[in-house]
Amino acid sequence: MKAINPKVILYLGVLGTAFSALLVRLSEAPSLTIATLRLFWTVLLLAPMTFLRHREEVKQASRGDILACTASGIFLALHFSTWFESLKWTTIASASVLGCTEVIFVALGFAIFLKGKIPRLGVVAIALSLVGSVILALHDGGGGATAPNPLYGDFLAVVCAVCIAVYTLIGRVKRGTMSTTVYTFFTYLSCLVTLLILDGVTGTRITGWGLREHVIGFGLAVLCTLLGHSLFSWSLKYISPSYVAAAKLCEPIFSSAIAIPLFLEIPGPIQLVGGAILLAGVFLYTMTEGKQSSDTVTESPAQDS
């Protein structure tokens, strides 16, 4: 079987998730509603493959596997909720960049809880990314962004980064023993149940929405979840979680570029400087971490689907 470069799969996932902010901004439904519709379609589309091709693995899943996937799904639900809500208060550029500061929290979690090592240049890169994030947040807080409450939106974006970091770290642990399909199915099912509970607690309506919202939810499920998060989960078996998180920082570049003609959200000079510093830090971390990651694997996606 021809060797596969897992980084190619990873960056295809980044491209898929780049459409998330754009689709959410087009939605007129509450954040929890569109998140629930996204996971409803995701679980519905993934269920047939899970039970037709991986029935035995599903039956053999241990209690520990189920608990880990449940925890992963809860944090993924919190990530979606805070991420979608942040887009209603701040610009796509700021939300996308700050949301991807996940790399900072993943690197710290990887070092503290999984006994991983952060290279010296990696520490410098993380500090650089943090400086860029602070510049963005301070600029938005000063009224520089054309959004209802940019600072609140920026805060939610950072919270979403913490939540997705926990999700990524759990995936790193469980992807060593579970296939991508089974791991993501259990995780997405847990995420959907969590969102439904949040809908009930907050009184958020999830039915009665028109075709537009279901199309957006379906698009989010296919482009951003199945061709985004699922590819991230696949790559976690072969690439360190720090590298995966760092690679996701390419997402704001695509999202912000498309947001300019669609929503006329033109970043100001300070936003551009802060974003550039943040992305420079992430690029440095990616290059540093990349030297320690394997470039190829001998197992195909079909064998690990």
Side-chain angles (χ1 to χ4, degrees):
M1 185 69 67
K2 185 178 180 180
I4 296 172
N5 189 330
K7 293 178 184 177
V8 173
I9 304 298
L10 172 61
Y11 283 101
L12 286 176
V14 173
L15 182 61
T17 56
F19 290 93
S20 177
L22 309 174
L23 290 172
V24 171
R25 184 58 67 84
L26 291 172
S27 172
E28 297 176 354
S31 301
L32 277 175
T33 297
I34 194 62
T36 304
L37 291 176
R38 171 179 179 168
L39 268 295
F40 166 77
W41 282 112
T42 299
V43 172
L44 190 65
L45 292 170
L46 193 58
M49 178 184 295
T50 302
F51 290 101
L52 289 176
R53 297 185 56 185
H54 299 272
R55 187 179 307 169
E56 290 304 315
E57 184 181 352
V58 170
K59 292 179 180 179
Q60 295 172 6
S62 68
R63 182 179 180 182
D65 291 336
I66 300 300
L67 288 176
C69 291
T70 298
S72 182
I74 291 173
F75 279 100
L76 185 60
L78 295 175
H79 161 72
F80 285 143
S81 302
T82 52
W83 164 241
F84 289 179
E85 188 66 17
S86 72
L87 291 167
K88 296 183 181 296
W89 297 100
T90 190
T91 62
I92 288 177
S94 293
S96 298
V97 172
L98 289 171
C100 286
T101 52
E102 165 198 357
V103 63
I104 298 173
F105 304 108
V106 167
L108 293 176
F110 185 51
I112 296 172
F113 299 107
L114 300 184
K115 308 302 180 182
K117 293 183 179 180
I118 302 177
R120 290 183 180 179
L121 276 180
V123 176
V124 175
I126 290 174
L128 197 61
S129 298
L130 184 59
V131 169
S133 299
V134 171
I135 291 175
L136 270 178
L138 290 178
H139 171 68
D140 287 351
T146 56
N149 192 338
L151 195 57
Y152 177 61
D154 291 347
F155 169 74
L156 290 175
V158 174
V159 173
C160 98
V162 174
C163 293
I164 198 65
V166 177
Y167 159 79
T168 300
L169 289 169
I170 294 175
R172 169 68 173 187
V173 174
K174 299 314 299 180
R175 280 295 293 111
T177 59
M178 301 177 70
S179 68
T180 303
T181 301
V182 174
Y183 167 73
T184 54
F185 176 76
F186 281 133
T187 297
Y188 296 154
L189 183 60
S190 168
C191 182
L192 176 59
V193 172
T194 302
L195 288 170
L196 288 171
I197 292 174
L198 292 175
D199 291 330
V201 171
T202 60
T204 302
R205 181 168 61 92
I206 58 174
T207 59
W209 296 97
L211 179 63
R212 172 194 177 92
E213 301 302 333
H214 281 281
V215 170
I216 291 175
F218 182 81
L220 285 166
V222 174
L223 292 174
C224 309
T225 305
L226 297 179
L227 297 180
H229 285 276
S230 292
L231 295 186
F232 296 155
S233 295
W234 180 91
S235 64
L236 282 169
K237 187 172 183 177
Y238 312 106
I239 306 174
S240 78
S242 300
Y243 186 94
V244 172
K248 294 179 187 178
L249 263 294
C250 294
E251 177 188 336
I253 299 175
F254 300 111
S255 297
S256 301
I258 301 175
I260 293 176
L262 287 180
F263 305 109
L264 301 179
E265 292 186 357
I266 303 175
I270 299 180
Q271 281 181 298
L272 290 174
V273 171
I277 293 175
L278 193 157
L279 293 175
V282 171
F283 177 76
L284 175 61
Y285 189 93
T286 301
M287 296 300 294
T288 303
E289 182 69 26
K291 294 178 181 179
Q292 301 184 2
S293 299
S294 174
D295 288 332
T296 60
V297 296
T298 57
E299 186 176 23
S300 70
Q303 292 173 302
D304 187 44
S305 60

